Amino acid sequence: MLSGVGVFSFTKCSPSLAFLTFKSKIKMDCKLGFARGLEVVSESSLSSSPSKEDLRVDSNGDIISLEEWQGWGTSSPRPAMVMEIVEEMKNLEKDLDTPMSFGGMGAKLQGNFKVQEDKKHRATYKALGDSEQKQQFFSSRQVACRVLGSRGYLCQKCWLAQEDCMCSKIKPSSLWPGIRFWLYMHPKDFLRQNNTGKVLWQIFGVEAATLCIFGIPEQEKIMWDAFKLAGKRRVWCLYPDKNASAKSVKDVLFSSASKSLEEQKTAVDAPLHFVLLDGTWSNSAAMFSRLKEHAKLAWGEEDFPCISLSELGESPMHKLRPQPSWDRTCTAAAALGLLSELHLLPEFSSIGLDKHAEAVEDGLETLLKALTGRRLRMGRSITRAEKYKL
C-alpha cells in the first residue's frame, strides 16, 4: 500500500550521442534519484520502446493515444480532464518556446517550464468551484505529468525502468471468477516503480484486478457501476475502519446479509468485489472517506462494508520498503492474505485460491529482486532504515 520516473524525448540521436547522454543520466540518477528531459535519452530506450514521435500524437491528433493510455494497466477510456491538461501543457510549451522536462520522484516538471506551468495550474485550481472539481483537477494533473514523464523510460506493464523490466519473470494466472479485485489507487502512487498493486493485474489481468485512480471520474464510474450491479452485500473494502468494526473474512461470508457459501461459489457472474486501497496510509484514509461518500449516493447510506485479515504475514517488500509498522502491509500482500484466508474456509478449499496466493507471493519476490538489483546498481542501500526495525 503505498515512483515512476523516466526519459521524455521527442528527438532521436546517434548511438554515440545516446551513449554520452546516457552517461549523463547515470550521473544525475546517482545525485538526484532520476533526471530526464527532452535532451536526455538512452540507447536502450530507443531500441526497446516505441518512437517518441509515434507516442506524440495518434491518428486523431491526440497526444496520448487510447493504446498508450491502456498500456499503463487499465481498460478504461482516456480521462477527458487528463487529455485537456496534456493539451494545455503542450500549448504552453509552444507559447513559451520552452520544452517540458521531467525529473525526480513522481515525474515532476522541472526548470522554467515548471515555474510557468505551476503558476497557471494554481490559478486554475483556485478558480474551481467546489472540492470535487479540485480533486478531479489535482488527480488529472498528477496522472498527466506521470504519463508524459514516464514515456520511453518506464516499462508500461511493470512500471519499472526498462533496464529493470521484470515482465518476462511474471507468471500469469487466471483468478477464480467469483472474485474481483479493485485497485483503488491514489494518483501519487500511479506509475511508482515500487508500487505493488500493479503485480496483481500483471498476474490476473486488468479485468480481474482493475485499476481505479482516485479522483479520475471515468474510472470511478466504471467501478461504481460494477458495485451497483453487484449490490452492497457483495462489495467489501479491505480496510480496518477504526470508527466501525471491520468483519473478518469468515464473518463476511457467513453474514446474514450475504448469500450462502454455496451460492457464493456458483454465482461467478456476480463475483465478490474486494477494494484494495493503494496509497500511503494517510492517503488511504482520504480514499476510504470518498468511498463512503459515493456509498451514500449509490446505496442511500454512508457505511461502506469493511473486512480485516486475521493474520498478516510479513510481506517480502518489508525487506526493502519501510512500513509504519509490521501490522501494515503492501497492497499485493494484502490481496495475498485475503486469498490465503479464503482458501482456509472448507467451502473454498477446492477452488485453488492457495495457488493464486502463491502466484502473488512469487510476483512480489520478483518485484523485490528487480528493485534490489536497481538499488545496488545505483549504489544505494538495500536495508531498511533503522527507525523501521520493529
Side-chain angles (χ1 to χ4, degrees):
M1 283 186 172
L2 314 181
S3 332
V5 292
V7 179
F8 177 48
S9 171
F10 291 134
T11 61
K12 295 184 178 180
C13 57
S14 67
S16 58
L17 180 56
F19 177 72
L20 291 173
T21 53
F22 183 62
K23 288 204 300 183
S24 299
K25 173 182 173 292
I26 292 298
K27 292 179 181 178
M28 287 186 283
D29 274 355
C30 295
K31 183 178 180 181
L32 302 175
F34 304 96
R36 58 202 176 281
L38 292 175
E39 76 285 357
V40 181
V41 63
S42 74
E43 188 173 17
S44 60
S45 68
L46 286 176
S47 61
S48 58
S49 63
S51 162
K52 304 301 182 296
E53 292 295 337
D54 293 339
L55 292 174
R56 191 174 187 177
V57 295
D58 66 6
S59 58
N60 296 319
D62 293 318
I63 297 168
I64 299 176
S65 69
L66 178 62
E67 181 182 8
E68 181 187 359
W69 168 248
Q70 294 185 342
W72 293 110
T74 179
S75 59
S76 78
R78 290 169 296 183
M81 190 174 291
V82 171
M83 298 297 289
E84 290 174 9
I85 290 172
V86 169
E87 188 66 38
E88 289 175 1
M89 290 171 67
K90 290 303 298 178
N91 289 337
L92 182 61
E93 185 180 48
K94 293 178 183 177
D95 293 341
L96 296 174
D97 194 25
T98 301
M100 277 187 273
S101 63
F102 298 84
M105 295 177 62
K108 296 177 182 177
L109 286 166
Q110 303 288 300
N112 181 57
F113 184 90
K114 174 191 182 307
V115 174
Q116 301 304 319
E117 196 277 338
D118 192 59
K119 291 179 181 178
K120 185 174 182 179
H121 101 257
R122 287 179 182 275
T124 301
Y125 184 86
K126 187 176 181 179
L128 293 174
D130 56 41
S131 59
E132 177 61 22
Q133 291 177 328
K134 291 178 185 293
Q135 179 60 65
Q136 291 182 13
F137 179 78
F138 168 81
S139 296
S140 297
R141 184 175 175 275
Q142 285 281 329
V143 170
C145 287
R146 287 165 187 266
V147 169
L148 292 178
S150 300
R151 280 175 164 179
Y153 179 71
L154 295 186
C155 169
Q156 283 192 283
K157 295 184 181 299
C158 69
W159 297 1
L160 297 180
Q162 291 184 2
E163 58 266 36
D164 303 304
C165 177
M166 67 178 192
C167 292
S168 62
K169 300 178 178 65
I170 291 291
K171 298 178 181 179
S173 177
S174 296
L175 182 64
W176 178 62
I179 290 176
R180 185 172 183 181
F181 288 121
W182 293 88
L183 283 298
Y184 196 31
M185 183 177 294
H186 194 274
K188 287 189 175 182
D189 278 81
F190 180 57
L191 302 187
R192 285 188 65 178
Q193 294 192 65
N194 66 353
N195 178 279
T196 67
K198 64 193 177 188
V199 171
L200 296 179
W201 67 73
Q202 276 199 284
I203 296 171
F204 300 128
V206 296
E207 297 301 330
T210 305
L211 171 65
C212 177
I213 302 174
F214 174 64
I216 299 299
E218 289 84 353
Q219 294 190 340
E220 289 184 321
K221 182 180 186 303
I222 290 172
M223 182 173 72
W224 275 97
D225 283 349
F227 291 171
K228 292 175 188 176
L229 183 63
K232 184 178 179 180
R233 297 180 303 177
R234 304 182 71 80
V235 181
W236 303 90
C237 180
L238 197 61
Y239 182 72
D241 183 9
K242 295 180 180 180
N243 298 318
S245 298
K247 297 181 179 180
S248 69
V249 172
K250 187 174 181 179
D251 288 338
V252 167
L253 297 176
F254 277 106
S255 170
S256 59
S258 299
K259 293 185 177 182
S260 70
L261 284 174
E262 192 59 35
E263 288 176 312
Q264 302 264 15
K265 289 176 63 177
T266 57
V268 295
D269 291 331
L272 289 171
H273 296 261
F274 293 103
V275 182
L276 303 170
L277 301 180
D278 198 343
T280 63
W281 287 94
S282 58
N283 288 337
S284 292
M287 290 191 284
F288 186 64
S289 294
R290 189 172 178 85
L291 286 176
K292 292 194 292 185
E293 291 172 3
H294 279 267
K296 189 171 184 179
L297 294 173
W299 298 320
E301 51 187 17
E302 193 177 72
D303 174 55
F304 196 100
C306 292
I307 59 173
S308 61
L309 299 176
S310 300
E311 295 183 9
L312 276 176
E314 180 183 332
S315 166
M317 292 298 290
H318 266 302
K319 301 172 185 176
L320 184 65
R321 189 182 64 184
Q323 292 285 357
S325 61
W326 289 110
D327 64 340
R328 296 182 177 183
T329 193
C330 66
T331 306
L336 188 162
L338 176 62
L339 292 169
S340 298
E341 290 196 20
L342 284 171
H343 174 70
L344 293 177
L345 297 176
E347 294 82 354
F348 284 81
S349 60
S350 63
I351 293 176
L353 298 183
D354 57 331
K355 301 300 181 184
H356 296 335
E358 289 176 9
V360 175
E361 186 171 22
D362 290 344
L364 276 172
E365 290 285 358
T366 298
L367 176 59
L368 176 64
K369 290 179 181 178
L371 293 173
T372 300
R374 178 175 182 79
R375 292 176 73 94
L376 287 171
R377 191 166 62 252
M378 296 174 65
R380 299 169 64 188
S381 172
I382 61 170
T383 58
R384 293 164 58 89
E386 186 67 31
K387 64 180 179 179
Y388 291 107
K389 292 183 179 179
L390 306 175

